Amino acid sequence: MSSHRKARSSNHPLARRALGLGLFAAGIAGAATAVPAQATTGASHMAFASDHVFSHADRAHHTRTEDSFTIRQFGTVNAAAARNQANAVSAGCSADDHCRSVALSFQIVTFAGERTHLNAVNLSDAANKECTGCQTLAGAYQFVVSTPAPLTLDAGTRQRLADIHRRLDALTRCALPAAELKTRVDGLAGEVSAVLRDAVAHAPKAAAQPTVTLHRHLDGWPGR
């Protein structure tokens, strides 16, 4: 299990939109964490991961960009919960002196088990607060990999993912027009999905088929 993220997070309250499978317990947010746990009886295996990116631009800091790219490998579990969140805010700027705030979070979760109960939440929120003409974008991409037997991403797979992460860093910081930025980020998400499908193609065979599911949620400019 590994994690890499660029820190500057915050717990500012924001309106949230949820996408995923099931409902997630309220009040769980904040810094990236991944905690597998086993009950003392040894009968139950559970895992939890939460990743959150926050970007805030204002008159003092006209451009703010943050991104996160995490890999969570749970192994065999009976229950798992995964939360991925991106929030971006632009505040107090004007059309003549506008702000740009971008927050992007990519979360990869792998788990194994034939009857695993999964709660997955993937959400983003972008807000312009008295910020006419500001550019604000929040994007959350959650990749859920389910296999009958535990899957360990090999060195070649992790190298390909690391290359995509480097390009996500560069893309987050660039000054592309909004429509092109969204298209490029979606393109990177497609590459991640392809890498993960290649990985599960070499996973141990079983009656149940491995799956790779992408949850995608984008909010903000140029939509508002």
Side-chain angles (χ1 to χ4, degrees):
M1 179 162 34
S2 69
S3 167
H4 180 87
R5 67 170 289 163
K6 298 167 67 180
R8 265 203 319 260
S9 61
S10 174
N11 290 324
H12 288 219
L14 291 168
R16 295 170 178 172
R17 298 174 176 86
L19 173 70
L21 307 175
L23 296 176
F24 198 84
I28 304 175
T33 58
V35 184
Q38 180 175 354
T40 55
T41 61
S44 177
H45 298 265
M46 299 168 290
F48 163 73
S50 177
D51 296 290
H52 181 199
V53 171
F54 178 78
S55 176
H56 184 278
D58 54 30
R59 291 178 181 175
H61 305 284
H62 286 75
T63 301
R64 281 289 184 260
T65 60
E66 297 292 343
D67 69 81
S68 173
F69 192 106
T70 58
I71 302 172
R72 312 297 191 187
Q73 298 188 78
F74 288 157
T76 301
V77 293
N78 294 336
R83 180 186 183 96
N84 186 43
Q85 181 174 349
N87 296 115
V89 174
S90 294
C93 299
S94 66
D96 296 329
D97 189 26
H98 64 260
C99 296
R100 178 185 176 104
S101 181
V102 177
L104 300 170
S105 183
F106 279 40
Q107 181 191 61
I108 298 170
V109 176
T110 73
F111 70 94
E114 296 184 358
R115 295 181 177 84
T116 301
H117 177 71
L118 172 68
N119 283 332
V121 169
N122 184 64
L123 52 89
S124 64
D125 187 273
N128 283 350
K129 299 182 177 180
E130 299 180 359
C131 204
T132 305
C134 293
Q135 301 175 348
T136 312
L137 177 68
Y141 295 78
Q142 185 181 55
F143 306 83
V144 179
V145 181
S146 173
T147 54
L151 172 70
T152 300
L153 301 179
D154 61 25
T157 298
R158 296 180 72 88
Q159 184 174 1
R160 293 171 68 188
L161 293 173
D163 175 67
I164 296 171
H165 182 193
R166 285 191 291 271
R167 286 184 283 143
L168 177 66
D169 284 343
L171 188 59
T172 304
R173 295 190 299 270
C174 78
L176 286 173
E180 186 176 352
L181 177 60
K182 286 186 174 184
T183 299
R184 296 275 295 276
V185 175
D186 279 345
L188 291 182
E191 289 188 43
V192 173
S193 292
V195 170
L196 296 176
R197 285 194 295 268
D198 287 346
V200 301
H202 300 93
K205 306 302 179 183
Q209 294 298 312
T211 61
V212 178
T213 303
L214 168 60
H215 301 151
R216 169 188 178 274
H217 196 251
L218 281 168
D219 187 43
W221 134 86
R224 63 164 71 176

